[in-house]
Amino acid sequence: MVNMISTFLSNSSAESYISLAFALIPVVWLLVSLGFFKLPANRACFIGLALSLIIATSYFNMPYELVGRAALEGVVLAVLPILWVIVAAFYTYNISLMTGAMKRIKNMMYSVSGDRRIQALAIAWGFGGFLESVAGFGTAVAIPASILIALGFEPFFAAVICLIANTIAVAFGVVGIPVTTLAKVTDLPVMPLTLDIALQLTPFVLLVPFLIVYTVTKSWKGFTGVWIITLMAGISFAVAQFLIAKYIGPEVPAIIGSVISFATIIVCARLIPPAIEWRFPHETDQQTANIHHRKKHLKQQIIAWIPYLLLLLLVLGTSKLFPFINNSLGEIKSALLIYNGPGGKPLYIDWILTPGTLIMISAILGGLMQGATTKDLIIVLGHTTLQLRKTIVTVVCIVSMAKVLGYSGMVTSIAVFLASSTGSLYPFVAPFVGALGTFITGSDTSSNVLFGQLQKSVATQIGTDPSWIAAANTSGASAGKLISPQSIAIATTATGLTGKEGAILNVTVKYVCIFVVALGILTYWFAF
């Protein structure tokens, strides 16, 4: 990677800039087609994939066979684990609808508080953070957004709120896989990386709950009566995540942080409730009187939440906290060498230790405990798959496109240009590189694979701490989830807004700019 930067610097010819321009075409197309032309994500991503295939073969001289293999690897990766997780997450929610468990969850949330701000914090921030930390791959957007709609939130803002809330737990999501992967890619010690990421994210952990409340109320006056709860939601998450990151490692900071934050929000809502419960302008007391403060028996509440409780037990029980179980189940995997060109590696598929399988097991067992029959579960699975047909096209196209961009060298051309043209200012740009990786791939882990070594190499060249700059890739990648076509497609599917991806992108891109610029300043300030 260092040689690539040096080559670019020494060869600042028109050819280099033309290569950069061609490499940018698929990326710019996604931004323009979604944000300006408002094309549905499945169509925009399909055209983006076609553009990447044409450019890879015609300008970057990638052999047709290798282009096909790269795209095929993307298809396999899209199905396992990404789409497997998405289907399992929606399946869990649809089972809860069918059995009536979702109605009990809704009533329980009303019994805690009828205040819309507190509901958004508890579901999008606390519960969403938990889902991201144990499962990832869009679950933290799909399920909380669906619950918020069931509670009476407008679908559009339910999607936006959950996308905003999903930024923080991403770094330590799926039991810390983004961080452990970054450590392997860069050959950097995992504990310093974990601590650096926690340090970079802490200010944003405190900020995001306030952004959630502001998005719900659309007014600074909306903090009246809940600013202490909002602050405590951030502080409890931040303190727990930081301490776990510092002393234990990357696997459970977001799990512990989100669970403690969720509990803190519930307790604070009980102890210091707002004097006046905030509702949406169009709501009346009569609309919510039939379910507000309705009490449910503890057993009924547990059964309603049982799929998610089972998921927590399965994730922790099969994690590295229990090495024998983790190692035994980890052996149940397959290795497929699909792309055999330069940089190609076997694609490992875990059949048991993958979030999709754990979520599916939790959904089936939970559904049976909630009273569903085997026939019911099969019917719901068919309905769920049909519901996700456009999302499936979007995810397959965007992941295949990411693989073609990566293997052809287009992604590297963009990143190396940014690195070589900024010099000592690069720490400010480092989070943007991470966000670019997530925009393209939809995954913090994939962004670390794409750019982790680049970040380390540039840090070494400019004389700053490689761990700090590599950590900025993960932190920036977390913000990039806000504008990832994959994440937005999941959000629109969950909220019934398929085809409105561009409208959501126009809102979330503003938040991304704030995140990345602020994170860039923070990274630069402490880089030297």
Side-chain angles (χ1 to χ4, degrees):
M1 192 65 69
V2 174
N3 291 335
M4 294 184 70
I5 298 173
S6 300
T7 300
F8 193 97
L9 282 169
S10 61
N11 186 30
S12 298
S13 62
E15 183 179 352
S16 299
Y17 290 102
I18 293 173
S19 297
L20 174 67
F22 274 102
L24 282 171
I25 288 174
V27 177
V28 173
W29 162 254
L30 287 182
L31 288 171
V32 173
S33 62
L34 292 173
F36 183 75
F37 293 120
K38 304 293 190 302
L39 288 183
N42 58 319
R43 291 173 56 191
C45 292
F46 180 80
I47 295 173
L49 172 60
L51 287 172
S52 67
L53 294 173
I54 294 170
I55 295 169
T57 54
S58 62
Y59 187 82
F60 285 85
N61 300 318
M62 193 176 183
Y64 290 106
E65 180 187 353
L66 291 184
V67 170
R69 285 180 172 272
L72 179 59
E73 183 176 301
V75 172
V76 175
L77 182 62
V79 175
L80 292 168
I82 299 172
L83 284 171
W84 180 226
V85 174
I86 295 170
V87 170
F90 277 92
Y91 184 51
T92 304
Y93 174 77
N94 287 337
I95 289 174
S96 297
L97 280 179
M98 187 265 297
T99 61
M102 188 52 59
K103 183 180 291 185
R104 292 193 289 272
I105 290 175
K106 179 173 68 173
N107 291 340
M108 190 201 77
M109 289 307 303
Y110 267 107
S111 71
V112 172
S113 176
D115 193 296
R116 297 306 196 177
R117 301 165 297 181
I118 295 175
Q119 291 171 357
L121 287 172
I123 297 299
W125 174 251
F127 184 50
F130 162 73
L131 289 173
E132 179 63 41
S133 61
V134 299
F137 296 107
T139 56
V141 175
I143 295 176
S146 300
I147 294 175
L148 288 178
I149 292 173
L151 287 168
F153 282 68
E154 292 181 5
F156 183 86
F157 285 101
V160 171
I161 288 165
C162 290
L163 284 167
I164 294 171
N166 189 39
T167 52
I168 297 303
V170 169
F172 296 109
V174 201
V175 201
I177 287 178
V179 184
T180 55
T181 300
L182 180 63
K184 291 177 183 177
V185 168
T186 59
D187 196 27
L188 291 169
V190 70
M191 289 303 291
L193 267 178
T194 303
L195 180 58
D196 285 342
I197 293 168
L199 285 169
Q200 291 173 1
L201 289 177
T202 294
F204 301 95
V205 178
L206 300 175
L207 173 65
V208 168
F210 286 92
L211 290 179
I212 292 172
V213 173
Y214 180 78
T215 303
V216 171
T217 62
K218 305 181 185 68
S219 170
W220 295 113
K221 294 180 180 179
F223 293 104
T224 304
V226 295
W227 71 268
I228 294 179
I229 297 176
T230 307
L231 181 62
M232 290 304 298
I235 290 177
S236 57
F237 197 125
V239 171
Q241 177 169 277
F242 177 81
L243 292 176
I244 297 297
K246 180 175 175 62
Y247 295 107
I248 296 180
E251 286 81 9
V252 292
I255 295 178
I256 302 301
S258 59
V259 170
I260 289 178
S261 182
F262 181 78
T264 300
I265 293 166
I266 301 300
V267 171
C268 288
R270 291 288 196 182
L271 297 180
I272 49 172
I276 300 176
E277 290 186 341
W278 192 91
R279 307 266 180 82
F280 295 117
H282 64 273
E283 288 185 299
T284 64
D285 291 340
Q286 185 62 36
Q287 286 177 290
T288 54
N290 60 328
I291 53 176
H292 184 45
H293 293 312
R294 182 181 294 173
K295 300 294 182 181
K296 287 290 178 183
H297 191 275
L298 178 61
K299 181 180 178 181
Q300 291 179 308
Q301 293 178 352
I302 293 175
I303 291 176
W305 288 94
I306 198 67
Y308 307 110
L309 295 175
L310 287 173
L311 177 59
L312 176 61
L313 292 176
L314 285 175
V315 168
L316 293 179
T318 58
S319 69
K320 292 181 180 179
L321 297 174
F322 301 93
F324 175 76
I325 298 175
N326 181 267
N327 293 334
S328 299
L329 296 178
E331 293 297 322
I332 307 174
K333 65 172 60 176
S334 301
L336 301 175
L337 182 60
I338 300 174
Y339 180 81
N340 56 4
K345 296 179 181 179
L347 184 65
Y348 290 96
I349 300 174
D350 288 300
W351 296 107
I352 304 297
L353 286 185
T354 185
T357 300
L358 299 181
I359 296 171
M360 188 63 74
I361 292 172
S362 302
I364 293 172
L365 293 178
L368 293 172
M369 295 174 70
Q370 290 170 351
T373 65
T374 303
K375 181 180 178 181
D376 291 333
L377 296 178
I378 294 173
I379 291 173
V380 173
L381 181 59
H383 168 72
T384 301
T385 305
L386 185 63
Q387 175 190 6
L388 292 171
R389 60 190 182 280
K390 290 185 178 180
T391 302
I392 290 172
V393 173
T394 299
V395 173
V396 167
C397 288
I398 194 65
V399 177
S400 296
M401 175 181 159
K403 286 295 182 180
V404 173
L405 294 179
Y407 284 132
S408 66
M410 283 187 263
V411 170
T412 303
S413 295
I414 299 170
V416 170
F417 170 78
L418 290 172
S420 62
S421 61
T422 52
S424 61
L425 291 176
Y426 181 78
F428 177 79
V429 178
F432 173 80
V433 174
L436 175 66
T438 310
F439 171 77
I440 295 172
T441 66
S443 165
D444 194 322
T445 302
S446 297
S447 179
N448 287 340
V449 172
L450 279 174
F451 298 136
Q453 185 60 38
L454 170 75
Q455 302 273 22
K456 176 186 176 182
S457 300
V458 177
T460 302
Q461 276 203 339
I462 63 176
T464 188
D465 181 9
S467 177
W468 180 253
I469 302 301
N473 192 84
T474 294
S475 302
S478 300
K481 290 285 281 188
L482 269 168
I483 56 171
S484 164
Q486 179 179 307
S487 297
I488 294 176
I490 294 169
T492 55
T493 302
T495 54
L497 295 173
T498 301
K500 301 293 185 181
E501 291 85 2
I504 291 178
L505 177 63
N506 286 341
V507 174
T508 57
V509 71
K510 301 171 186 176
Y511 289 100
V512 168
C513 292
I514 295 172
F515 270 81
V516 173
V517 170
L519 188 56
I521 293 172
L522 176 69
T523 304
Y524 179 80
W525 188 266
F526 293 99
F528 298 99

